Amino acid sequence: MIDKHLFRFGFETPNQYRNNAARGFDDEDSVALWIVSSTPAEALQWGETVAQAYVAWLFSSEQTEGYSWRDLGFSNWVEADLTVLEAAKTDNSLPVVRLGEMPDFESLAM
């Protein structure tokens, strides 16, 4: 059965990366998006691909060769908490993508 799954992931922006490295901070941001797939496992797998591509996009103009969201082990999951899911259903700003599609990264960066 095809369904929407809420994928969430943490990451650091280039500014957070610099501040975290310079000052010993552990500041992070997070993003959520809906992924249309047959299973939560498919959504998780595609979500990790989206997260890696999004963070690479964020860092594309930075001098951070080799920076990898995946290698740094940021948190990511398909949301299972029903309260969170119900609240997310009312948030029309969350992007919706199908497997193989990328969201508009500009809208995620807002």
Side-chain angles (χ1 to χ4, degrees), residues 11-46:
F11 63 96
E12 59 188 358
T13 66
N15 192 47
Q16 289 168 327
Y17 171 74
R18 286 187 295 277
N19 288 335
N20 289 345
R23 298 185 179 111
F25 294 170
D26 190 24
D27 193 22
E28 293 181 14
D29 275 1
S30 64
V31 165
L33 66 142
W34 293 103
I35 299 178
V36 178
S37 68
S38 297
T39 66
E42 285 180 340
L44 182 64
Q45 184 176 19
W46 182 245

Side-chain angles (χ1 to χ4, degrees), residues 9 31-34 46 50 53-54 57-58 93-98 101-110:
F9 67 97
V31 165
L33 66 142
W34 293 103
W46 182 245
V50 169
Y54 174 63
W57 176 80
L58 284 175
S93 70
L94 294 176
V96 179
V97 299
R98 297 185 182 287
E101 295 178 346
M102 289 287 171
D104 174 17
F105 291 155
E106 289 282 344
S107 68
L108 286 181
M110 302 232 147

